[in-house]
């Protein structure tokens, strides 16, 4: 058996950090198009924008992030 020590946590080696960054950037791009009021319809529009931002991630994006982080 061989023990291999891992380095301390680094966001540079974690693909999920890159995914979160891409989702947040996409959402910020969509945000100005939304009206800034407190109505229920606006809350639904915000939730839809978040969902669209999450689903804007492609498999090519994910593969690229894994390669960038050294996993492939």
């Amino acid at each position: 058996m061989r023990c291999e020590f891992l380095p301390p946590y680094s966001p540079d080696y974690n693909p999920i950090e890159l995914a979160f960054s891409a989702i947040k950037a996409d959402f910020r791009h969509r945000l100005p198009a939304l009206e800034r009021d407190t109505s229920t319809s606006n809350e639904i529009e915000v939730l839809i924008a978040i969902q669209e931002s999450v689903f804007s991630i492609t498999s090519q994006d994910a593969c690229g992030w894994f390669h960038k982080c050294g996993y492939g």
Side-chain angles (χ1 to χ4, degrees), residues 25-26 34 55 69:
D26 187 80
L34 301 174
F55 285 106
C69 291

Side-chain angles (χ1 to χ4, degrees), residues 9 12-13 16 18 26 28 30 33-35 38 41 65 69-70:
Y9 175 78
D12 296 334
Y13 299 118
I16 196 68
L18 298 171
D26 187 80
R28 282 188 208 110
R30 295 173 192 272
L34 301 174
E35 296 176 4
T38 57
S41 63
W65 297 327
C69 291

Side-chain angles (χ1 to χ4, degrees), residues 20-46:
F20 288 149
S21 178
I23 291 168
K24 290 189 295 185
D26 187 80
F27 180 71
R28 282 188 208 110
H29 180 71
R30 295 173 192 272
L31 194 59
L34 301 174
E35 296 176 4
R36 296 182 186 245
D37 60 21
T38 57
S39 68
T40 305
S41 63
N42 192 46
E43 291 176 16
I44 293 170
E45 290 174 1
V46 169

